[in-house]
Amino acid sequence: MVNQYEIHASSPDGQEAGLLAFAQQKRLAFKEQVTLYTDDTKQQPLLGFKARQRIDLGATYDVTDAAGQPIGLFKKSFAASLLRSTWVLEQPGYGEMTGQERSMFVAILRRFVDSLSWLPYHFDFTIGERPGFSVVRKWGLRDRFHVTITDPNLDRRLVVAMAVALDALQSR
């Protein structure tokens, strides 16, 4: 059993455009690792993220490019996530970003009513007080996410890794 991810660009009118990356996540892994490829043949890696520790509620995940060079890291802030999921993301030389579910109500429903884990969510990532990017899980039969990057200095690869991780790691 695997989760499969296809990352597509959007055209200026908001329509789905070309495939940017493809990934699969094995479930029940003891040490989480996800590699994103150029397409579903999985011949050419683009980037990936890997947990530093085995199963850990506050694990740090290193994000690297295809050559294994660091792009950044992210980790779940366990204490802050008790009611509303909170992630910390770091891009070298840029500082720390914090991402948190926008709606406390939806966050609590998703945590305490298992049958509502499918509810859409909205994460806002900020650098200090400045908006960095957002990830919105859309309604639908298939999980769909819309990522909006507002800070032009963010590494898009790091943002893509975080967007995939939000889905892949949220329920862990």
Side-chain angles (χ1 to χ4, degrees), residues 23-83:
Q24 287 182 328
Q25 175 213 16
K26 293 180 183 175
R27 292 186 181 203
L28 304 173
F30 289 108
K31 192 170 184 180
E32 197 64 56
Q33 179 175 355
V34 174
T35 302
L36 288 89
Y37 298 91
T38 55
D39 59 32
D40 62 0
T41 65
K42 299 192 283 185
Q43 298 298 310
Q44 185 176 357
L46 288 173
L47 64 122
F49 60 87
K50 182 178 183 178
R52 289 183 183 172
Q53 307 93 327
R54 294 202 182 269
I55 296 178
D56 180 3
L57 298 174
T60 297
Y61 297 84
D62 293 302
V63 182
T64 56
D65 66 14
Q69 295 302 309
I71 295 172
L73 62 86
F74 57 83
K75 59 189 170 193
K76 193 167 193 175
S77 178
F78 179 72
S81 294
L82 290 176
L83 292 178

Side-chain angles (χ1 to χ4, degrees), residues 102-115:
R102 181 180 283 182
S103 170
M104 177 73 83
F105 178 71
V106 171
I108 290 171
L109 278 177
R110 287 188 332 101
R111 271 166 193 61
F112 298 110
V113 183
D114 285 338
S115 63

Side-chain angles (χ1 to χ4, degrees), residues 81-93:
S81 294
L82 290 176
L83 292 178
R84 190 164 47 165
S85 290
T86 304
W87 291 83
V88 176
L89 181 70
E90 294 178 23
Q91 177 176 312

Side-chain angles (χ1 to χ4, degrees), residues 4-21:
Q4 183 171 295
Y5 301 94
E6 292 180 3
I7 294 88
H8 293 265
S10 293
S11 63
D13 64 354
Q15 296 298 313
E16 189 176 288
L19 181 69
L20 297 175

